[in-house]
Amino acid sequence: MLWQGREDSFQVEFPPVGQENFEVKVDRIGQIRFEAWLRRKQRAALLQLSSKLKFRRTPLAGVNVITSLADGSIRDFLEILGSIFEHYARRQKLDPRSSTSLDKFATARTPIAFDIQTDGIYEASEAYVSGVSSRSEREADVLLRFIQGLGTLTSILQSNPNDPRVLGRSERGIFAVTFEGKEEHSSEAANDAVVKSLIRLAEISGYVRAIDVGGGNLDLAGSGPQVITFRLHKRFSPYYHFSFRGAYETVQFHARDFWPLCDRATPVDPTTWANALASRNLSLSFSQLSLPLSTATSDD
């Protein structure tokens, strides 16, 4: 209520107009939509503050967090829980291979310690990133560079302390990539095909999630302009430092923006690429995905 739009600009007392606005906004407290909006702003503020203070590790624990990070995958959910169990067994000096230890973990009457959950969640995220680099396909190195670039870019979009859009349009990171219709045998068309195939490979591998925002898809057919819309899997978020809730805001790109990550002849450093792309004046979609308001209204 006291914020005046700049990092160092706050009022020290409420003017009459501010008091009227406060009364209006108080009525919204308790509404599901307002609480969902507030959670987004709170998470964005935490990410931006931790980035400014050079903290790469924010506390993560609770059922809602773990469920969100699993991103609808039972396998990822169990792997995250397994990582937490290993840290729990280590703390309790239990044998992680014993079923008795697992029973004790599952039937514990007290909540698992916050730091144990945080350690397990971050280790599971790091293992997920390591899994990309250990793939045996010929495209594994390009796929890893692609994921690293997207992870770094998503982090910058959601936590850059020098970007007011971090709070103004919190949780950016849905990538809407436009593929223009090119001449079939041109070098640009060949580059676009490589980018499109890599996105498809990442989607099949489970590393990105296709998002339907009205026309965006991963259909490889057709020669006209296409928009492919996707985001990173939420399990990457602890490692790359973006919201465990994923992304809700769209950023627009062209396929040529992603070609440097796919170019085997002159590969670009993913961090350099992400910083350069984030510094541009990105055009943002004015549409916003609706939040899953039917789920729990609080985030652990």
Side-chain angles (χ1 to χ4, degrees):
M1 294 300 297
L2 296 174
W3 185 49
Q4 297 299 292
R6 297 200 315 271
E7 184 183 52
D8 58 348
S9 178
F10 287 83
Q11 292 176 312
V12 295
E13 59 183 19
F14 281 126
V17 175
Q19 295 175 15
E20 295 174 2
N21 292 336
F22 181 76
E23 293 174 357
V24 171
K25 292 183 178 180
V26 162
D27 293 337
R28 300 179 184 175
I29 296 176
Q31 296 180 6
I32 295 178
R33 289 186 177 276
F34 178 79
E35 290 183 354
W37 173 87
L38 185 60
R39 287 197 301 273
R40 292 185 59 185
K41 299 301 181 183
Q42 289 174 333
R43 193 65 197 171
L46 177 60
L47 288 171
Q48 191 177 53
L49 178 62
S50 63
S51 179
K52 191 175 185 64
L53 297 176
K54 309 299 182 184
F55 291 160
R56 293 290 300 178
R57 187 182 176 96
T58 55
L60 291 173
V63 175
N64 285 353
V65 172
I66 297 172
T67 303
S68 179
L69 290 173
D71 212 351
S73 169
I74 295 296
R75 182 192 64 184
D76 290 310
F77 180 79
L78 293 176
E79 288 179 353
I80 294 171
L81 280 185
S83 181
I84 294 174
F85 167 67
E86 289 180 357
H87 282 268
Y88 171 83
R90 197 176 306 153
R91 177 73 63 86
Q92 299 293 328
K93 298 181 179 179
L94 301 174
D95 182 3
R97 297 167 297 182
S98 169
S99 60
T100 303
S101 301
L102 184 59
D103 289 340
K104 184 176 181 180
F105 172 76
T107 59
R109 294 186 177 182
T110 57
I112 306 301
F114 207 86
D115 59 330
I116 292 178
Q117 294 187 56
T118 298
D119 290 343
I121 286 171
Y122 274 88
E123 186 175 275
S125 183
E126 184 176 355
Y128 199 51
V129 175
S130 299
V132 182
S133 60
S134 62
R135 295 173 65 93
S136 58
E137 295 96 329
R138 178 175 178 272
E139 298 83 2
D141 58 332
V142 180
L143 182 59
L144 176 61
R145 189 161 60 244
F146 182 71
I147 297 300
Q148 289 174 334
L150 291 182
T152 304
L153 179 58
T154 303
S155 176
I156 295 172
L157 292 173
Q158 294 192 10
S159 65
N160 184 0
N162 300 315
D163 186 354
R165 292 170 295 182
V166 168
L167 291 178
R169 296 181 69 87
S170 48
E171 294 182 328
R172 290 176 293 166
I174 294 177
F175 303 105
V177 183
T178 300
F179 292 80
E180 302 290 349
K182 305 287 186 180
E183 294 184 9
E184 185 176 355
H185 300 292
S186 66
S187 60
E188 292 85 358
N191 293 347
D192 285 3
V194 172
V195 173
K196 189 180 295 186
S197 297
L198 186 62
I199 296 174
R200 178 61 174 169
L201 175 62
E203 195 261 343
I204 292 175
S205 303
Y207 299 136
V208 304
R209 292 286 195 262
I211 301 295
D212 182 11
V213 291
N217 57 72
L218 287 174
D219 183 13
L220 299 182
S223 57
Q226 288 181 291
V227 178
I228 294 179
T229 310
F230 62 95
R231 61 164 173 79
L232 274 178
H233 192 296
K234 296 176 185 178
R235 189 172 164 184
F236 286 115
S237 67
Y239 184 86
Y240 287 110
H241 190 64
F242 60 86
S243 174
F244 70 86
R245 292 154 43 86
Y248 289 96
E249 294 287 343
T250 304
V251 286
Q252 308 286 344
F253 295 99
H254 288 88
R256 61 178 177 270
D257 296 323
F258 289 85
W259 168 246
L261 293 174
C262 307
D263 188 358
R264 289 181 175 274
T266 55
V268 69
D269 176 69
T271 301
T272 302
W273 173 86
N275 281 297
L277 210 57
S279 64
R280 289 180 5 187
N281 184 22
L282 300 176
S283 60
L284 299 177
S285 169
F286 287 97
S287 62
Q288 178 173 309
L289 295 182
S290 60
L291 293 172
L293 299 180
S294 59
T295 59
T297 58
S298 65
D299 295 312
D300 291 348

